[in-house]
Amino acid sequence: MAEFTMPSLGADMDEGTLQEWLVRAGDRVRKGDAVAVVETAKSTIEVECFETGTVGKLLVDPGTTVPVGAALALIEPAGEPGAPKEREKPDKPKKRRRGDEARPEEREAQERRPAAQPAPGPAKEPVPAPAGVNDGVRGDEGPLIRHLAEQAGVDLDAVHGSGPGKRVTRADVERAAAARRLPARITPLARRLAGELGVDLSGVTGTGRDGAVRAADVRQAAPGPTAPAEQESSGAAAASPSAERRPAGMREAIAGLMARANREIPHYYLSTTVDLTAAMDWMHEYNRHCPPGARLLPAALLLKAAARAAREVPALNGFWTDDGFSAGRGVHLGVAVSLRGGGLVAPALHDADTLELPQLMAGLKDLVHRARTGRLRGSEVSDATITVTNLGDQGVESVLGVIYPPQVALVGFGRVVERPWAVDGLLGVRPVVTATLSADHRATDGAVGARYLTAVDRFLQSPEEI
Amino acid sequence: MKRDEALDMVKESLAEVVPDADVTALGPDDKFREALEIDSLDFLSFIEILGRRTGFRIEDEDTAHLTTLADSADFLVARTADGS
């Protein structure tokens, strides 16, 4: 029996509050599935499972705050009861012991025909299912599938189930999500309330503009007696006392981490100005020919160039620990996102160096949206190997940032501005951006940093190839 | 398109992008990106929504005309008057 423990979601986290379980005892889980929602000082995060197996016992009740490393649940690994208590990083490839769990190819096969492995968990909670659609078997999807559906904004009742007994499977949800048009908007307050009141957002009809789900819609849909009027007037803060504390907690967490970074990391700083004429021309041309929803922003090109350059200069992509530098597995680009209530988070765009620009742009939108209104996943808040901060929107031309420990570099981009620029002895007006690098002098020297910024510049001169 | 209609469309689009913002408090010449803390991703959504509501495509280079309620409304009126 393996322990599922409170993970460390960043160097600044000592403890977390288990807010909600997304699974029940007896549920089958796969490595990488979101199984619990944890609230930290900075944000609410969906925590993924490190094992494939069956959930044994849930050890911690929602609302409990426990230190990092404390056991939250027991998981019976697939095929080997009593497997060693060993934590696996979500995307760290590990040699599998014989019988440990399904081989990747087998698991893939299971994913393709999930009907063969229905979640056995009995449905304890009533599942909303309108008469006529329900054939008596619906509602056995289990919380994981319902969670997936909710996350994707898919209405389970409208999905044709391909599993046994017309059960809706993971593949059905994914198909429905892919086929779906733009998600209806859900206001942040509504999303939070839905969590508080246990309302399945996929079943809520929005009465806001263009079907946006508002707090009032969620209260309407909440089971049990209608929410009392006092709750109506007291709003979000009262509905979630922990959220009220967050700005202070967020400040404290940032203060602790940045003080440590400044104390421990001998930073050096480099800066260069990059001509963006080619990049902007290419982007405007691209945007002219693509559907409005698929347009690119300069940020997408800058992030891609930063990620490609990190692959080229691996000494800046990784972590500094007591033992020295260890290179990151893949380029997971942390993207600093400022939150509307103040503070910031820097979740990772996984394998950003391999994403095509449209994918990267979509990933960026999704990440920023979830950082601000929804939930980030544990792997996103803990995996970044190098971080980019883009303060262009704030109107400044350059940013010399503080590194996020244990990373060893932070890349900064300022605003894209038009400036006089000499080319071949002639003066012209060109869009330029100031790219900066803050790097850890323990891990690299200025020459390495210079190579990095030069590479960023070079990639931005050939936008069609990044 | 009448100017009133254009103005409403701009306000509604902004409200959709920033649901918690008070668009009614916005003056005609306030720079809404600053006033409502709209970043470039939000602005992109605004352009998409405004394009969908008005039924015509707003290009990157048009965005220079979309900084305040007044200039946005003027832009929409001028664009529909062109017939383009």
Side-chain angles (χ1 to χ4, degrees), chain B residues 7-64:
Chain B
L7 204 54
D8 284 345
M9 246 178 220
V10 175
K11 285 184 188 167
E12 285 164 15
S13 304
L14 284 172
E16 197 175 329
V17 174
V18 196
D20 300 336
D22 186 7
V23 177
T24 53
L26 205 60
D29 297 314
D30 290 343
K31 302 242 183 236
F32 50 67
R33 284 182 74 156
E34 286 159 36
L36 304 180
E37 292 182 38
I38 288 177
D39 66 14
S40 48
L41 282 174
D42 296 328
F43 190 71
L44 198 61
S45 313
F46 167 67
I47 302 285
E48 281 170 43
I49 293 164
L50 193 61
R52 203 168 63 222
R53 284 175 187 270
T54 56
F56 62 77
R57 202 181 151 91
I58 297 166
E59 301 292 354
D60 286 356
E61 46 271 29
D62 297 330
T63 56

Side-chain angles (χ1 to χ4, degrees), chain A residues 327-416:
Chain A
R329 292 162 192 271
V331 177
H332 307 310
L333 201 66
V335 181
V337 179
S338 60
L339 304 178
R340 290 194 201 286
L344 82 163
V345 288
L349 266 177
H350 286 112
D351 298 308
D353 57 324
T354 64
L355 299 177
E356 296 295 327
L357 278 171
Q359 282 175 294
L360 190 147
M361 183 69 206
L364 176 67
K365 279 186 188 174
D366 175 54
L367 201 62
V368 171
H369 178 73
R370 283 187 297 113
R372 287 186 176 152
T373 64
R375 290 162 172 174
L376 293 170
R377 308 200 89 198
S379 60
E380 289 168 339
V381 293
S382 56
D383 284 356
T385 54
I386 181 171
T387 294
V388 176
T389 178
N390 184 345
L391 283 188
D393 282 335
Q394 271 68 38
V396 294
E397 284 187 39
S398 75
V399 46
L400 297 162
V402 179
I403 299 166
Y404 276 67
Q407 295 166 37
V408 298
L410 182 118
V411 186
F413 292 107
R415 195 169 126 204
V416 178

Side-chain angles (χ1 to χ4, degrees), chain A residues 54 58 63 71 74 94 98 163 165 171 187 217 229 243 313 333 389 401 408 418:
Chain A
T54 307
L58 303 181
L74 297 176
K94 196 183 106 179
R98 210 180 317 146
T187 68
D217 303 325
V313 186
L333 201 66
T389 178
V408 298
E418 299 213 317

Side-chain angles (χ1 to χ4, degrees), chain A residues 17 19 28 47 62 70 90 95 105 107 139 142 149 293 324 332 389 409 426:
Chain A
T17 303
Q19 201 181 55
R28 266 167 193 275
V47 178
K95 277 186 192 145
E105 61 271 25
R107 284 194 304 151
H332 307 310
T389 178
L426 290 174

Side-chain angles (χ1 to χ4, degrees), chain A residues 157-201:
Chain A
D157 294 323
V159 176
H160 172 76
S162 65
K166 297 195 178 164
R167 217 176 262 133
V168 175
T169 65
R170 175 189 288 254
D172 296 332
V173 172
E174 282 164 0
R175 209 174 302 123
R180 226 170 121 260
R181 281 177 51 79
L182 286 171
R185 287 195 69 93
I186 301 164
T187 68
L189 175 56
R191 191 183 291 274
R192 187 175 304 146
L193 266 180
E196 300 282 331
L197 302 173
V199 171
D200 178 3
L201 280 172

Side-chain angles (χ1 to χ4, degrees), chain A residues 92-110:
Chain A
K92 188 165 86 180
K94 196 183 106 179
K95 277 186 192 145
R96 298 181 191 288
R97 288 173 298 279
R98 210 180 317 146
D100 185 3
E101 58 181 69
R103 289 172 205 288
E105 61 271 25
E106 286 166 15
R107 284 194 304 151
E108 230 172 79
Q110 281 175 13

